[in-house]
Amino acid sequence: MNLIFKNAVIVDKNSPYNMQAKDIQVENGIIKKIDTVINDVGYEVISLNNLHISTGWFDSSVNFGEPGYEDRETIANGLDVAAKSGFTDVALQPTANPVADKQADIAFLVNKAQHTATALHPIGALTKESAGKDLAELYDMKNAGAIAFGDYNKPLADANLMKIALQYVQDFDGLVIAFSQDEKIKGKGVVHEGIVSTRLGLKGIPALAEELQIARNLYLLEYTGGKLHIPTISTARSVQLIKEAKQKGLTVTCSVAVHNLLLTDDVLEEFDSRYKVAPPLRTKAERKALVDGVLDGTIDIITTDHYPVDIENKKLEFDLAKDGTLGFESAFGALMKMLPLEVIVDKLTAAGPVFGFAGNTITEGVNASFTLFNPGGNWTFSRRDILSKSKNSAFLGQELTGRAYGIYNRDKLILNTAK
């Protein structure tokens, strides 16, 4: 595929062309030339309004439904939605049925996505069936293509098993993902414990439930060494604990979900289960601390934590509804409401190095892996903007700024022509 991207503003802090408008010539997946004007004879020209290009965005936490829950989302459609939302790479959580806890499960996922524009990188379950009792086949899954190991939204109660996992994966440079929530303190809580939960009569989840588990896991990491990733943190104290751990020299990274950066528990007034997520939406003060953590570098990654849920499991009484929200389609537009563009690009591309992939840049002679987007223009996110099979988006009705056009990756161009 021979293309020229016309008059594209390059957003890449590692590129000599950062924040400059250039033509980019690509031949068979390689950047051949970058210049102010390039003769486009014989090339397919990609010319889009206010076109900006960055290195490809990497989402560190996504869920599909295949195998087992294809009614929620298939791998093929999920990756197509990811591409049209600007993501060249996604890390897939082991939440299908069966849980991806064996070499064959990882091989199935890798094979399903061999020829897609968006690259799929499976996360293997840390414990068998994500049940928290015995370690899964970590080394075998690593050899099959698993990039990390974790039980999605399930904390590991057994501290000794977490210690053993952190020690064991060091033999093959593995990464442990530790969702942090003390289930005993959470109890039957469904939303953040505070003024809103009290007023609405909903059982609360104290911030302490997350913070205690993070503190424990960081102590274990300090004892064992190795690498730990703490996903989707949601409290100010969590940010501080991780900041202090990094200052000690521990190899720890963390992420925050887009919805926890943008929304607070104030949206719960209508008992709308679209806002039931894990960890829960918290207060304005907690949200501000998360934004500050992104800006000061404590939080490494911003993730969509994309989780399609079928209507039978979502449109229920709030207490009974399944946690989770869609995230792909609204992610960029939501982030542009609160963060500078270069920070957004930095945090959406940071997952690659965390998971062991070399960073890319936009310069001549390298493989072309781009996200195409327009950072300008306000619009309201509606149901027709949802490309996923499920429709459980917490961002419906939100005014957003900017849109992703799509991606160029693996010598494939995918654009969202519905825009």
Side-chain angles (χ1 to χ4, degrees):
M1 183 176 285
N2 295 332
L3 305 171
I4 290 182
F5 298 89
K6 296 294 290 184
N7 196 34
V9 177
I10 296 171
V11 185
D12 177 5
K13 65 182 182 182
N14 297 314
S15 172
Y17 308 102
N18 186 36
M19 302 311 295
Q20 298 178 38
K22 298 289 182 180
D23 287 0
I24 305 173
Q25 182 185 77
V26 176
E27 294 182 7
N28 301 318
I30 304 295
I31 301 175
K32 290 297 183 180
K33 188 176 182 180
I34 300 176
D35 208 339
T36 304
V37 179
I38 299 175
N39 189 325
D40 57 24
V41 175
Y43 289 82
E44 180 180 351
V45 175
I46 308 302
S47 180
L48 299 167
N49 180 48
N50 195 28
L51 175 61
H52 286 58
I53 286 180
S54 73
T55 55
W57 301 344
F58 192 137
D59 196 339
S60 65
S61 177
V62 310
N63 297 268
F64 298 146
E66 189 178 358
Y69 304 114
E70 287 85 355
D71 53 328
R72 298 178 186 174
E73 188 60 279
T74 62
I75 290 172
N77 191 67
L79 291 175
D80 184 61
V81 177
K84 291 175 179 176
S85 303
F87 293 94
T88 59
D89 297 79
V90 299
L92 181 65
Q93 296 285 357
T95 50
N97 185 16
V99 170
D101 62 359
K102 297 181 292 297
Q103 185 176 26
D105 300 326
I106 300 300
F108 168 80
L109 296 171
V110 170
N111 289 335
K112 286 287 289 188
Q114 277 185 334
H115 305 294
T116 55
T118 293
L120 183 152
H121 308 284
I123 296 171
L126 183 64
T127 61
K128 292 179 180 178
E129 298 180 350
S130 288
K133 302 297 183 184
D134 302 290
L135 289 184
E137 301 173 1
L138 307 186
Y139 181 66
D140 289 343
M141 287 193 288
K142 172 81 170 182
N143 288 337
I147 61 169
F149 309 100
D151 297 328
Y152 179 73
N153 280 6
K154 293 182 178 180
L156 187 52
D158 188 332
N160 188 55
L161 194 58
M162 176 61 77
K163 174 181 74 72
I164 293 170
L166 286 166
Q167 291 171 325
Y168 175 61
V169 299
Q170 291 178 55
D171 289 339
F172 50 89
D173 196 31
L175 175 66
V176 171
I177 299 175
F179 178 73
S180 297
Q181 183 169 264
D182 187 301
E183 290 291 279
K184 294 293 186 182
I185 291 179
K186 176 199 173 188
K188 296 182 180 179
V190 293
V191 297
H192 173 68
E193 181 183 81
I195 294 172
V196 173
S197 67
T198 302
R199 185 171 67 248
L200 299 180
L202 294 170
K203 289 184 170 62
I205 303 173
L208 180 67
E210 175 175 303
E211 296 154 4
L212 271 181
Q213 193 86 352
I214 287 178
R216 186 206 75 173
N217 289 336
L218 290 174
Y219 272 120
L220 290 170
L221 179 66
E222 188 171 7
Y223 177 81
T224 61
K227 299 188 298 185
L228 181 68
H229 179 67
I230 301 174
T232 57
I233 65 173
S234 66
T235 80
R237 182 61 182 150
S238 296
V239 175
Q240 187 60 32
L241 286 166
I242 292 167
K243 187 173 189 175
E244 291 168 0
K246 289 184 173 187
Q247 290 169 348
K248 289 181 181 179
L250 300 185
T251 306
V252 58
T253 54
C254 66
S255 70
V256 65
V258 175
H259 46 268
N260 286 106
L261 280 176
L262 186 73
L263 305 174
T264 69
D265 59 354
D266 289 334
V267 300
L268 300 174
E269 296 291 343
E270 301 297 325
F271 296 91
D272 191 332
S273 62
R274 290 184 297 112
Y275 301 118
K276 188 166 186 276
V277 292
L281 302 177
R282 299 199 188 268
T283 64
K284 291 177 181 177
E286 303 283 16
R287 189 194 74 82
K288 181 181 184 303
L290 295 173
V291 173
D292 291 343
V294 168
L295 293 173
D296 71 17
T298 301
I299 296 175
D300 304 273
I301 298 168
I302 296 176
T303 176
T304 68
D305 204 27
H306 179 83
Y307 199 172
V309 179
D310 53 278
I311 191 170
E312 289 82 6
N313 283 291
K314 198 61 171 174
K315 200 166 185 180
L316 298 169
E317 294 88 343
F318 198 94
D319 287 1
L320 301 177
K322 190 175 181 66
D323 295 325
T325 178
L326 301 177
F328 282 152
E329 299 97 316
S330 53
F332 180 66
L335 292 172
M336 282 298 297
K337 298 294 292 184
M338 74 189 87
L339 292 170
L341 175 59
E342 289 184 271
V343 172
I344 295 169
V345 170
D346 183 49
K347 299 303 179 182
L348 290 179
T349 57
V354 168
F355 288 118
F357 298 94
N360 201 359
T361 191
I362 300 176
T363 191
E364 294 175 356
V366 304
N367 287 329
S369 177
F370 300 148
T371 295
L372 289 65
F373 57 94
N374 176 359
N378 295 328
W379 57 291
T380 300
F381 187 70
S382 67
R383 192 177 176 88
R384 68 175 176 271
D385 297 305
I386 297 177
L387 305 176
S388 302
K389 289 182 69 175
S390 296
K391 307 301 176 186
N392 57 301
S393 175
F395 290 96
L396 283 173
Q398 292 282 328
E399 184 177 289
L400 308 180
T401 299
R403 292 179 185 257
Y405 283 124
I407 64 170
Y408 176 81
N409 191 44
R410 293 177 161 185
D411 200 22
K412 294 179 174 66
L413 177 69
I414 304 293
L415 297 178
N416 186 356
T417 55
K419 290 185 174 66

